[in-house]
Amino acid sequence: MKTFVVIGLGRFGTALATELSALGHEVLAMDMDEDRVQEVADTVTHAVAADARNPAVLRSLGMRNYDCAIVAVGGEIGTSTLITLNLKELGMREVICKAKSHVHRKVLEKIGADRVLFPEHEMGVKLAQGLSSSNVLNFIEVSEDFGIVELEAPNSWVGKTIRDLDVRNAYHVTIIAVRGADTGKLDVSPRADKPLEKGDKVVALGRSEAINLLHEVK
């Protein structure tokens, strides 16, 4: 069991706090809005109405005793930035923050956030990837520029080896794994002379624009 602090109980923060608690972790949920706190009080370990912008408040709640804090507040960029700064100065082990924009993300990273999430953007990218091609099974954004995609091997790739396809030069992506159609097992770093079979799933890493070109392969 791990211990978490979730600061900001909007839709994202509430869902996160509730799910973490349901998974058996200790969760302290915080928000300045008493009504929001009451809504989650019965589903988390502790819930408190408090101003996380005040370092004395965070100190009194024993932030250093928790494994991870998630800053999920909405509103002005300055609010989450100040809370993140307070947590890092108090010696919080890991601070994960929700960002509203790429600029917000850069600010949070500059002041020491261990990880920055961009939920709306990430979900939008995943949805767009899924809608643009029926053979895309999953998409993970690694950074603003790079992503990992899992897709069913196009018909034109079936029977050819990874060396024959030469996807690095043709599409500027790297095949990092293949999931066998017959076994369902993931072969990480597959051999270059491995021929692809119908129904195989290919996992590729590359820049977002390069991955988009894979959608057009038949």
Side-chain angles (χ1 to χ4, degrees):
M1 179 185 75
K2 295 183 68 175
T3 56
F4 295 91
V5 180
V6 178
I7 303 174
L9 299 175
R11 288 190 295 271
F12 176 74
T14 297
L16 181 62
T18 301
E19 185 64 18
L20 284 172
S21 184
L23 292 171
H25 300 292
E26 180 180 339
V27 178
L28 168 62
M30 294 178 58
D31 199 285
M32 294 178 62
D33 189 321
E34 181 70 38
D35 291 336
R36 289 183 175 182
V37 172
Q38 290 302 316
E39 287 178 4
V40 302
D42 294 334
T43 59
V44 298
T45 314
H46 308 287
V48 59
D51 187 353
R53 296 173 298 182
N54 187 338
V57 170
L58 295 177
R59 190 178 298 110
S60 69
L61 292 169
M63 290 295 106
R64 295 184 64 181
N65 297 324
Y66 288 85
D67 296 317
C68 176
I70 301 96
V71 182
V73 297
E76 298 178 358
I77 291 177
T79 300
S80 62
T81 302
L82 179 57
I83 294 171
T84 301
L85 188 61
N86 288 340
L87 290 167
K88 297 303 293 185
E89 290 183 343
L90 286 171
M92 191 76 196
R93 301 175 198 176
E94 183 178 13
V95 180
I96 300 174
C97 305
K98 174 188 174 184
K100 298 175 61 178
S101 65
H102 293 299
V103 172
H104 190 191
R105 170 186 280 175
K106 290 180 180 179
V107 171
L108 291 169
E109 290 174 340
K110 287 289 186 183
I111 63 173
D114 297 286
R115 183 179 174 189
V116 181
L117 306 175
F118 200 168
E120 289 83 358
H121 172 73
E122 290 165 7
M123 286 304 298
V125 170
K126 289 179 182 178
L127 178 60
Q129 294 283 349
L131 292 174
S132 65
S133 176
S134 59
N135 67 339
V136 173
L137 305 174
N138 195 19
F139 178 83
I140 301 173
E141 184 184 38
V142 177
S143 69
E144 292 182 22
D145 300 318
F146 284 86
I148 297 174
V149 66
E150 179 180 359
L151 70 160
E152 187 166 332
N155 290 331
S156 60
W157 291 11
V158 174
K160 296 181 180 178
T161 67
I162 294 175
R163 181 183 290 112
D164 291 336
L165 292 170
D166 194 18
V167 293
R168 287 187 181 180
N169 288 323
Y171 303 102
H172 306 292
V173 299
T174 301
I175 294 178
I176 59 176
V178 174
R179 190 183 303 277
D182 53 346
T183 65
K185 293 182 178 180
L186 192 65
D187 180 8
V188 179
S189 299
R191 305 187 321 272
D193 60 354
K194 174 183 175 61
L196 295 176
E197 300 178 4
K198 187 173 180 61
D200 279 355
K201 311 298 189 303
V202 175
V203 182
L205 167 70
R207 289 186 175 275
S208 299
E209 59 267 25
I211 285 177
N212 287 336
L213 293 178
L214 296 181
H215 301 166
E216 302 174 7
V217 182
K218 303 300 183 183

